[in-house]
Amino acid sequence: MSVASKPATPAVELRNIRKSFGATHVLKDVSLTVAPSEVVSIIGSSGSGKSTLLRCVNLLELPDGGDVLVHGEVVNWVESRGRRRRPSERELRRLRAGVGMVFQQYNLFPNMTVVENIVEAPMAVLGKSREEAGRDAKVLLDLVGLADKGGSYPGELSGGQQQRVAIARALAMKPRIMLFDEVTSALDPELVDEVLRVMQTLAREGMTMLVVTHEMAFAEEVSDRVVFMDGGLIVEEGPARSLVRNPQKERTRTFLQRTLRTHASFLNGSQEAGSP
């Protein structure tokens, strides 16, 4: 008699997450499940709650209500003596060591070399020796295509190179989950592809990824699933290509039509500006 295999524990599970800033309700009972090695892109207009949702996963923002589970463990509260309490800073650091995050701004230390930026956290948080952290940094710089930039300072690099260093720095903590928050939005168009290629490599290697993005081609081609948010709610989610090409909800269609039209106008304007 065959025995049915047990479903894998989700890498991330959000249950009825609520978050407000003052009188503004940013997230309204949002639930989302992400499987191990799944790549989920989150799209939507500015102010729809995308970035706040991402920040709730690694508790840079503590939800006002609901549960955040990482690999089956509730992380946004701890039960102690029969009562719930918020996690301590030490407990938060343990969580964040396993959930890497890359932001729109690179946040590199300008007075440190690229290698120094990468090795600092593994040494301070994971207790690695400088030699071990340095060896890991070299491997990661090779992964992101910057093997020759270890001794450079951030100010000597392009925006795309700095963002790739930021990705290497997050990976140095050996995370099982990576969060990307609009990581290409501050880059010139010609630098976007070099960052997306690194993210595509991580996806091929099986990294679980949650990606807030306006890059529809990336969302369609690299993601397993796309989630569309509006007004603090998940309006629609589904297989990436199906949702991008054939959305079922009117709000999703309107957003995608506007986004693709704006992108096409921007590209045409860039080509005209560059023509003799």
Side-chain angles (χ1 to χ4, degrees), residues 49-126:
K50 309 183 304 295
S51 293
T52 300
L53 184 68
L54 212 63
R55 291 169 68 88
C56 282
V57 174
N58 71 345
L59 305 186
L60 285 174
E61 298 289 352
L62 283 169
D64 299 325
D67 294 333
V68 178
L69 290 84
V70 176
H71 297 295
E73 177 187 359
V74 176
V75 295
N76 62 312
W77 56 265
V78 177
E79 188 165 339
S80 177
R81 298 178 182 177
R83 301 181 63 182
R84 288 187 178 188
R85 63 168 174 83
R86 292 198 166 192
S88 66
E89 281 302 314
R90 182 177 181 180
E91 289 160 340
L92 288 174
R93 284 196 297 270
R94 180 177 66 85
L95 165 71
R96 291 171 187 151
V99 182
M101 187 162 184
V102 184
F103 302 87
Q104 178 178 339
Q105 301 301 326
Y106 327 122
N107 297 328
L108 301 176
F109 295 109
N111 61 329
M112 293 183 178
T113 65
V114 164
V115 165
E116 289 169 342
N117 267 278
I118 294 172
V119 303
E120 186 199 26
M123 291 170 57
V125 179
L126 302 181

Side-chain angles (χ1 to χ4, degrees), residues 136-241:
D136 290 346
K138 289 182 180 180
V139 172
L140 292 170
L141 285 173
D142 186 56
L143 172 69
V144 300
L146 296 172
D148 59 337
K149 299 296 184 181
S152 300
Y153 287 88
E156 299 171 334
L157 306 178
S158 70
Q161 290 172 331
Q162 290 187 61
Q163 193 60 288
R164 285 186 279 159
V165 173
I167 294 173
R169 181 178 60 180
L171 292 172
M173 295 297 289
K174 306 292 185 183
R176 298 170 67 186
I177 300 165
M178 284 289 289
L179 312 176
F180 295 91
D181 189 10
E182 301 278 17
V183 295
T184 60
S185 61
L187 299 178
D188 293 332
E190 64 269 20
L191 302 178
V192 169
D193 281 351
E194 64 188 48
V195 174
L196 294 181
R197 280 196 295 270
V198 173
M199 295 168 65
Q200 190 169 14
T201 298
L202 294 177
R204 284 199 302 266
E205 293 182 353
M207 177 66 76
T208 304
M209 296 164 58
L210 262 169
V211 184
V212 170
T213 185
H214 286 297
E215 301 292 339
M216 289 303 121
F218 176 89
E220 180 179 349
E221 298 298 331
V222 180
S223 305
D224 298 296
R225 191 156 42 105
V226 171
V227 172
F228 170 64
M229 291 188 68
D230 188 49
L233 298 166
I234 292 178
V235 174
E236 185 173 357
E237 61 178 295
R241 183 161 296 188

